[in-house]
Amino acid sequence: MRIDIISVVPDLLTSPFSASILKRAIDKGIVEIHIHNLREYATDNYKSIDDYQFGGGAGMVMMIAPIDKCISDLKAERDYDEIIYMTPDGKTLNQGTSNELSLKENIMILCGHYKGVDQRVRDHFITREISIGDYVLSGGELGAAVLCDSIIRLIPGVLGNETSALTDSFQDNLLAPPVYTRPASYKDWDVPEVLLSGNFPKIEAWREEQAYERTKALRPDLLDD
């Protein structure tokens, strides 16, 4: 998979891709991450990428011309399955979306900034708009990093255990069951006996029951779906 990220402040994206699972995925050649500084596509000598909004109002707007040039240059090199815009008013990211995007080959992500982008960018270039929650950040970079992490960890070969991602919360609209490790007893707090039984069908049934009960208690809205 190749992911191209267009950003006004690319330095914000240095850290997320230089450690842990994302770095290993890059080092293994499973995924390529390319970060593009939008200012390099500015059309004036001042490297301007934003301007005042028509009609007045507070806040600057990302201009269409630099974005058009950047997207057009990238599309001239390859076809993209999705061109995603990170924005607070996009569709909220969920596990199903991450599952779907993990099957793509080439993805482009545009990080919003200021008051957002010229609406014509959204109308003519963007294929999908994604938010990571009902709140506003200074820019879309952190949201793009979250999106990339949620996608990349699902790609075969990224995690050490291929089945690990399949048992995460929100797969099948359920929260993950409780998990335990050694010691089996700590300060008189004991691990449920079923997990020590070696009876794997019984353990699996217990986990399914716990997942359902946790979801019912903490996120009943998931069961409605």
Side-chain angles (χ1 to χ4, degrees):
M1 171 183 282
R2 176 185 172 115
I3 301 177
D4 289 274
I5 305 176
I6 303 171
S7 169
V8 176
V9 282
D11 287 349
L12 276 176
L13 291 163
T14 302
S15 178
F17 298 106
S18 61
S20 191
I21 290 173
L22 298 185
K23 183 178 186 300
R24 291 202 300 270
I26 294 170
D27 291 344
K28 288 181 179 180
I30 296 173
V31 65
E32 294 181 31
I33 303 292
H34 299 270
I35 301 170
H36 307 271
N37 188 339
L38 185 60
R39 293 192 185 279
E40 295 179 1
Y41 297 86
T43 57
D44 65 6
N45 293 332
Y46 299 100
K47 301 294 183 183
S48 302
I49 48 82
D50 63 291
D51 206 340
Y52 296 102
Q53 55 182 308
F54 283 125
M60 307 295 281
V61 177
M62 293 172 67
M63 301 160 64
I64 188 171
I67 296 172
D68 179 14
K69 188 175 190 317
C70 183
I71 291 177
S72 296
D73 284 359
L74 291 173
K75 289 178 68 176
E77 298 178 4
R78 67 192 54 82
D79 294 326
Y80 286 88
D81 301 297
E82 296 280 2
I83 301 179
I84 298 168
Y85 175 48
M86 302 302 302
T87 174
D89 59 357
K91 182 178 178 181
T92 304
L93 176 65
N94 59 29
Q95 190 63 48
T97 299
S98 298
N99 290 345
E100 178 187 351
L101 292 175
S102 72
L103 302 175
K104 306 296 185 181
E105 183 176 353
N106 295 313
I107 295 174
M108 189 189 307
I109 302 174
L110 171 63
C111 299
H113 230 271
Y114 312 114
K115 292 296 287 186
V117 300
D118 187 303
Q119 181 62 37
R120 290 168 291 186
V121 173
R122 302 172 75 164
D123 292 341
H124 298 287
F125 298 111
I126 303 302
T127 64
R128 188 185 296 242
E129 300 183 348
I130 293 178
S131 166
I132 62 167
D134 294 337
Y135 48 87
V136 178
L137 300 174
S138 299
E141 285 77 14
L142 298 181
V146 169
L147 174 62
C148 289
D149 190 300
S150 74
I151 294 171
I152 293 170
R153 66 189 309 278
L154 297 170
I155 300 174
V158 172
L159 297 181
N161 186 329
E162 294 295 333
T163 64
S164 179
L166 301 179
T167 58
D168 287 338
S169 290
F170 306 112
Q171 296 287 10
D172 298 326
N173 277 4
L174 293 175
L175 300 182
V179 293
Y180 301 85
T181 189
R182 291 178 288 183
S185 182
Y186 182 75
K187 293 184 177 180
D188 294 326
W189 303 329
D190 297 331
V191 171
E193 290 186 9
V194 64
L195 297 178
L196 309 175
S197 68
N199 187 329
F200 293 107
K202 192 173 181 179
I203 291 172
E204 188 60 31
W206 179 87
R207 285 174 171 162
E208 290 178 2
E209 179 184 1
Q210 290 294 311
Y212 176 81
E213 291 300 328
R214 289 194 73 207
T215 306
K216 183 179 179 181
L218 301 176
R219 289 292 305 275
D221 56 297
L222 293 174
L223 299 177
D224 293 338
D225 294 335

